[in-house]
Amino acid sequence: MVSRVLEEIKKTIMQRLPSRVHVAKVEFEGPELVIYTKNPEIISENGDLIRELAKDLRKRIIIRSDRSVLMEPEKAIEKIHEIVPKEAEITNISFDDITCEVIIEAKKPGLVIGKYGSTSREIVKNIGWAPKILRTPPISSEIIQRIRRTLRRNSKERKKILHQLGNRIHQETKYENDWARLTAMGGFREVGRSCLYLQTPNSRILLDCGVNVAGTDEKTLYPFLNVPEFAPDNLDAVIITHAHLDHSGFVPYLYHYGYDGPVYCTTPTRDLMTLLQLDHIDIAYREEQPLPFNVKHVKKCIKHTITLDYGEVTDIAPDIRLTLHNAGHILGSAMAHLHIGDGQHNMVYTGDFKYEQSRLLEPAVTRFPRLETLVMESTYGGKEDVQPSRNHAEKELIKTIYTTLRRGGKILIPVFAVGRAQELMVVLEEYIRTGIIHEVPVYIDGMIWEATAIHTARPEYLSKDLRDQIFHMGHNPFISDIFHKVNGVDERMDIIEGEPSIILSTSGMLTGGNSLEYFKWLCENEKNSLVFVGYQAEGSLGRRLQKGWKEIPLKEEGKTRVYKVKMDIKTIEGFSGHSDRRQLMEYVKRVSPRPEKIIVCHGDNYKTLDLASSIYRNYKIETKTPLNLETVLIQENG
């Protein structure tokens, strides 16, 4: 059946391409249609034609050379260096014999691409190999190197995976698409372990698969994958909206559990998700609480991940198209728009989102081509959840830092590694560069440095202001000299005993990690300050300090020592990556088209219900607040 579809597509391609183009073969690789040709330069010079062809066929088209016209790698490398300007600063060139691609890593990839793709077309014309151009991050990233190495070494296996997936995606639908339903498998009337299961007559899709980091046992830690209707063998796709563990932390278990299909997300989400999953495994191992999956399952996830850019429409099942849109929450975070059937139903799942411009990211997207059902978060959905503006939050932070430095103290900011840390780095860099804060070292400890390295590799996902700074002004705040990576205990002791400074360290709730060690060293000196900029969960050390505890008992080497808290404790609201109550309501008001139904998730029981009732009262849109394990019919009888 798929071969017949391919034959029809190939016939169309032959009719539309110039007669001198020699098409060797056409095949599906995952959601993409790949055309192998003996003269790719002719096709690459007809970009408009390919775009029109992709639009008419409603497929993503990739052009590659037939193996017979590829230049020998050594000569190809010489030719690439001749064609690409030295200013591009190529750092590595490698070849993938399976996909007939040359992977070019450069510090300035735009110069390898050239204006309107002119340089990359010249490469194809001269060496045959199709260039795959990657950015060399200004801060070296171990995770990005690891992912790229995994993909290179497993190229043959990955191509086989994509072939199988392509056959599955492009088969004809068996049944009429006259219904669609969502099952809540985690993250409903609670925060944590987000997991939604979308079913149509023809497809099964999982949206997010996270863990509850505050869970105490298997009943509260993980999603309800034991519902009778769920089976990994029948799953067509997994979509991950962003990298935080409460949305991506349980994905490796799906591969341990028997899943062998694709994961769709943005490239930054893949990179950050891998970082957080590996760290999660490492911490669990050190705490002698091993997880029900391991590193090999993370590696399998990497091999099966298909990355998408914002706005890229992709077939993920015979009857479902996916488009990811900016969610404004963390780097690469996305809202998932699902086009079900031939337009019978359109659903948007927001994941976590921020409907406000931040220093790091653009606000969440509000406009979609079609929309009937909106599934939205409600983390700060209670009527009392109104946060101060970013401007106010920044002023409060700067005031606290200024006061502490003036009295000769140090500022400890326990922070989450992904998102909040980078937002603060941009703020601190600007205020120190402009002289508003006296120049002092800012120490970066824990996983923050690696997460920041990933941010430097993906500047196209940052806010317009930051992109302009990096691309047009040549100023990248993340690589400022004020930031210092901390390597080991000896350096930490030098920081503690040294001059006034600012310390950003994980974990954000003082539940462990290096921030807890800094707290022990700094808390008994009244000159120092501790600044909370993120949520502190009930029961965490951070929450106890917010409540005013002045004596903190902590276990050390089997004994309990009581620390007397003399440092200044400050909580600054306004740096959250989530929308507050006003922004959530404004988002519903602005979203276009107006949805027929809104399903509210990802919030405490009261906040979910309060937001849902307010939406109904103000906008007269039907709202639902299902419990975990409940199923909601979102489309019925076409």
Side-chain angles (χ1 to χ4, degrees):
M1 186 161 52
V2 174
S3 58
R4 179 168 56 80
V5 172
L6 261 179
E7 279 303 314
E8 290 175 3
I9 288 173
K10 187 173 181 180
K11 195 182 296 180
T12 303
I13 290 169
M14 297 301 290
Q15 291 169 352
R16 299 280 291 277
L17 290 178
S19 57
R20 64 188 188 278
V21 174
H22 187 287
V23 176
K25 62 179 175 178
V26 178
E27 57 188 17
F28 289 125
E29 290 185 13
E32 295 172 336
L33 181 69
V34 184
I35 301 173
Y36 287 88
T37 173
K38 292 189 177 182
N39 39 12
E41 71 283 354
I42 299 174
I43 300 182
S44 63
E45 288 166 4
N46 287 271
D48 290 340
L49 175 59
I50 295 301
R51 279 188 286 275
E52 285 299 315
L53 192 57
K55 186 179 177 182
D56 293 346
L57 292 172
R58 300 171 82 180
K59 307 291 179 193
R60 291 166 60 197
I61 296 178
I62 302 293
I63 309 298
R64 295 200 186 123
S65 299
D66 183 66
R67 198 179 295 274
S68 63
V69 298
L70 301 179
M71 183 181 280
E72 291 178 14
E74 285 185 13
K75 291 181 180 177
I77 290 173
E78 289 179 15
K79 200 67 185 173
I80 289 167
H81 282 295
E82 284 178 24
I83 296 168
V84 178
K86 286 184 180 179
E87 292 79 13
E89 298 184 67
I90 292 174
T91 58
N92 188 48
I93 299 174
S94 58
F95 297 85
D96 189 331
D97 293 327
I98 306 300
T99 62
C100 302
E101 291 176 315
V102 56
I103 297 101
I104 304 172
E105 299 178 46
K107 291 184 179 179
K108 297 176 182 174
L111 294 177
V112 186
I113 297 168
K115 193 172 184 179
Y116 305 118
S118 58
T119 308
S120 58
R121 284 198 300 273
E122 194 66 21
I123 292 169
V124 174
K125 186 176 180 179
N126 280 271
I127 70 171
W129 298 85
K132 185 176 183 179
I133 302 159
L134 303 174
R135 183 183 303 279
T136 304
I139 301 176
S140 178
S141 167
E142 184 184 327
I143 286 294
I144 289 177
Q145 290 173 4
R146 188 170 181 171
I147 289 170
R148 290 176 180 176
R149 197 162 52 241
T150 297
L151 293 174
R152 276 199 302 270
R153 290 176 179 172
N154 296 276
S155 181
K156 191 172 184 179
E157 182 187 349
R158 182 168 167 85
K159 187 165 183 178
K160 185 180 177 183
I161 290 167
L162 291 174
H163 271 310
Q164 292 171 343
L165 175 60
N167 290 336
R168 184 163 183 168
I169 288 173
H170 297 101
Q171 63 186 337
E172 292 178 3
T173 55
K174 295 178 181 178
Y175 310 105
E176 185 183 347
N177 273 90
D178 54 359
W179 58 264
R181 63 180 191 166
L182 278 175
T183 300
M185 290 167 57
F188 284 76
R189 308 261 195 115
E190 65 177 1
V191 175
R193 59 172 174 178
S194 287
C195 191
L196 293 78
Y197 186 42
L198 171 67
Q199 294 170 277
T200 75
N202 297 288
S203 303
R204 309 286 182 268
I205 309 292
L206 205 64
L207 294 109
D208 284 344
C209 190
V211 296
N212 181 1
V213 290
T216 53
D217 53 39
E218 289 193 4
K219 290 183 179 179
T220 55
L221 274 168
Y222 308 129
F224 293 93
L225 299 184
N226 57 350
V227 295
E229 64 266 39
F230 178 78
D233 293 348
N234 295 330
L235 200 56
D236 290 279
V238 176
I239 300 165
I240 299 300
T241 57
H242 68 282
H244 282 151
L245 287 175
D246 61 327
H247 291 256
S248 76
F250 212 51
V251 176
Y253 183 70
L254 294 173
Y255 290 97
H256 177 61
Y257 192 32
Y259 180 56
D260 206 29
V263 170
Y264 294 94
C265 61
T266 64
T267 305
T269 293
R270 178 199 63 189
D271 299 347
L272 292 169
M273 173 172 73
T274 302
L275 170 66
L276 294 174
Q277 288 168 353
L278 291 172
D279 183 67
H280 190 39
I281 291 169
D282 184 52
I283 291 171
Y285 177 78
R286 281 191 273 114
E287 293 179 352
E288 298 183 351
Q289 295 178 329
L291 299 169
F293 55 84
N294 55 40
V295 172
K296 75 177 182 182
H297 300 113
V298 176
K299 185 178 176 183
K300 197 168 184 181
C301 178
I302 293 169
K303 289 188 288 186
H304 284 77
T305 297
I306 295 172
T307 57
L308 305 173
D309 292 329
Y310 294 145
E312 196 170 11
V313 183
T314 306
D315 292 305
I316 63 169
D319 62 334
I320 295 180
R321 286 194 177 92
L322 167 68
T323 312
L324 299 178
H325 298 273
N326 173 42
H329 175 61
I330 62 170
L331 188 78
S333 60
M335 295 182 168
H337 179 277
L338 296 168
H339 180 83
I340 302 169
D342 195 17
Q344 281 99 332
H345 199 81
N346 293 266
M347 182 191 105
V348 169
Y349 168 48
T350 67
D352 293 354
F353 75 97
K354 181 73 170 178
Y355 187 46
E356 179 189 43
Q357 178 78 44
S358 70
R359 286 182 176 266
L360 201 63
L361 304 168
E362 293 296 307
V365 166
T366 55
R367 298 185 67 83
F368 304 96
R370 292 179 65 178
L371 176 59
E372 281 81 48
T373 298
L374 176 68
V375 183
M376 68 181 289
E377 66 129 317
S378 59
T379 312
Y380 293 112
K383 56 180 174 287
E384 73 286 352
D385 290 327
V386 177
Q387 297 180 358
S389 68
R390 284 293 169 107
N391 187 42
H392 177 81
E394 286 183 18
K395 285 179 179 175
E396 284 295 303
L397 176 65
I398 299 315
K399 183 179 170 185
T400 302
I401 291 172
Y402 178 80
T403 304
T404 307
L405 293 176
R406 194 175 174 186
R407 64 177 180 247
K410 297 177 178 66
I411 301 96
L412 171 62
I413 309 178
V415 70
F416 302 110
V418 176
R420 206 73 48 86
Q422 290 73 36
E423 182 86 13
L424 288 173
M425 287 174 74
V426 174
V427 171
L428 293 172
E429 190 276 336
E430 180 181 302
Y431 282 108
I432 289 175
R433 174 167 46 86
T434 56
I436 294 172
I437 302 176
H438 178 64
E439 184 167 343
V440 293
V442 180
Y443 294 106
I444 309 296
D445 206 337
M447 198 169 45
I448 299 169
W449 192 265
E450 178 63 31
T452 303
I454 292 171
H455 280 67
T456 67
R458 312 292 177 196
E460 63 274 19
Y461 284 87
L462 298 171
S463 69
K464 185 180 182 301
D465 285 348
L466 264 182
R467 291 198 307 270
D468 287 345
Q469 281 188 54
I470 294 167
F471 292 135
H472 303 307
M473 297 166 63
H475 173 72
N476 190 332
F478 296 119
I479 58 175
S480 168
D481 291 339
I482 68 165
F483 298 120
H484 304 272
K485 181 184 179 183
V486 180
N487 297 295
V489 178
D490 290 343
E491 284 192 29
R492 290 187 193 106
M493 291 311 301
D494 289 341
I495 294 166
I496 296 304
E497 294 168 3
E499 296 299 309
S501 60
I502 301 168
I503 305 161
L504 301 183
S505 182
T506 52
S507 73
M509 298 185 194
L510 291 175
T511 49
N514 300 324
S515 63
L516 180 59
E517 298 307 310
Y518 284 112
F519 169 75
K520 292 175 185 177
W521 292 322
L522 297 173
C523 70
E524 295 183 331
N525 186 336
E526 65 276 1
K527 290 182 179 180
N528 300 324
S529 292
L530 173 66
V531 181
F532 291 117
V533 292
Y535 178 72
Q536 304 299 305
E538 195 62 51
S540 67
L541 174 54
R543 178 58 70 90
R544 289 178 204 148
L545 290 167
Q546 283 182 328
K547 289 178 176 178
W549 285 33
K550 294 300 180 186
E551 294 188 352
I552 302 293
L554 294 171
K555 284 189 177 180
E556 295 177 1
E557 299 176 357
K559 297 179 182 178
T560 299
R561 176 181 165 182
V562 177
Y563 287 85
K564 297 187 182 299
V565 181
K566 297 179 182 177
M567 71 191 309
D568 187 30
I569 308 295
K570 182 86 172 175
T571 298
I572 298 177
E573 304 283 353
F575 284 107
S576 176
H578 292 272
S579 295
D580 69 1
R581 169 59 174 256
R582 286 180 303 194
Q583 290 166 3
L584 290 168
M585 292 296 290
E586 186 67 14
Y587 186 83
V588 174
K589 180 181 177 182
R590 300 285 180 188
V591 72
S592 174
R594 180 187 172 96
E596 298 169 4
K597 181 183 298 170
I598 294 180
I599 298 170
V600 184
C601 63
H602 199 285
D604 294 338
N605 189 53
Y606 151 70
K607 297 186 181 190
T608 301
L609 293 168
D610 188 40
L611 179 63
S613 62
S614 297
I615 290 171
Y616 178 73
R617 194 165 54 248
N618 282 270
Y619 305 121
K620 299 299 181 283
I621 298 173
E622 178 188 353
T623 57
K624 290 185 180 294
T625 56
L627 293 162
N628 284 330
L629 298 176
E630 287 187 349
T631 296
V632 177
L633 197 62
I634 60 172
Q635 177 208 344
E636 186 176 8
N637 299 326

